[in-house]
Structure formats: structure tokens, C-alpha cells
Amino acid sequence: ARMYFGLLVCFGHDKEGRPVHVQKVGLGSLRFAESYRFFGSNAREALIAGWVWCQELQAARMAEASLRLGKPVTQQVVIMDAKGMSYWPDTRAIAIFKEFLYIMQRYYPETLGMLFFVNAPAVFS
């Protein structure tokens, strides 16, 4: 379900050993209302729990990379794929995104090494 609704795909490492994950924010914006129907009354909690699960997975991948490389790996690389992003986002999505930002600042400070936006609509130019 997480992949279908566009939340994340974790794979590989960059040249410095940092784990990489792709967040398909464009696909997620197209399927947001559908995700609310799928998860039902717990949709908000399910989406946040899925995102926290991703951060915990990335933390475990950083720890594994640290052991493998023999040096601390404390940051991750995030690629946000905006392909298909809606120009009129669901207000619930905005509220959840703000909660993601709060959780990231509170519980995962300084773990973002690089952030890339790809396939961004012209409005981002």
C-alpha cells in the first residue's frame, strides 16, 4: 500500500554511503483522497506511521552503512519525485506534511544530507 500511494521507495546508497530513498510526492498527491478511503478512519495515523516507519528504516540503514564502511553515516539522501503533482493539493495532505516536518525536526534532526526534487512542474521554475 505504501508504494501504491506513492509514499516511498528505499534503495541503494550514494557515494558517501548515505542511504537513498525516493518519495513519490506527485503520485501521492494524485492518490491522496484514495489513500484516505483505503485506510479509513485511521488514515491520518496510518500515513504518519508509514512515514515514521520509513525514517526508522533509514536510521537502521545508516547504522548498517556505518558498520559496513567503518565510519559514522548519520545522514540520508531524499529524492522527491513531483511527477504528476496536483496543483490543488488536498488540505489534509498539507496538514500531514506539516506534521511530517515537525516529526523530522523533533525526532530526526540533522539526518537530511541531500534533498533533490525531480520532475517538478513548471510552477517550481
Side-chain angles (χ1 to χ4, degrees):
R2 288 184 179 102
M3 288 177 65
Y4 175 78
F5 292 118
L7 294 180
L8 58 100
V9 178
C10 297
F11 67 93
H13 297 82
D14 72 354
K15 290 180 181 179
E16 296 178 27
R18 299 177 295 196
V20 176
H21 84 267
V22 175
Q23 292 183 343
K24 296 191 163 264
V25 294
L27 182 61
S29 76
L30 291 174
R31 295 180 174 167
F32 192 80
E34 186 181 352
S35 71
Y36 253 74
R37 287 191 301 275
F38 178 80
F39 290 114
S41 62
N42 293 344
R44 183 181 150 282
E45 292 80 10
L47 292 168
I48 291 168
W51 187 81
V52 168
W53 174 83
C54 173
Q55 295 309 308
E56 291 298 318
L57 175 62
Q58 290 297 84
R61 294 178 74 212
M62 286 183 257
E64 180 273 328
S66 296
L67 290 173
R68 183 172 36 84
L69 299 172
K71 67 175 188 172
V73 176
T74 59
Q75 295 182 322
Q76 62 183 309
V77 175
V78 177
I79 301 170
M80 291 202 169
D81 185 354
K83 183 178 181 179
M85 181 174 276
S86 171
Y87 289 104
W88 297 276
D90 189 310
T91 55
R92 297 170 297 185
I94 301 297
I96 288 175
F97 184 71
K98 287 179 181 178
E99 201 154 345
F100 287 168
L101 293 176
Y102 171 78
I103 292 167
M104 189 72 173
Q105 291 171 355
R106 175 94 166 105
Y107 299 103
Y108 305 98
E110 301 181 20
T111 60
L112 182 61
M114 297 289 290
L115 172 63
F116 298 97
F117 282 89
V118 297
N119 301 316
V123 73
F124 285 96
S125 299

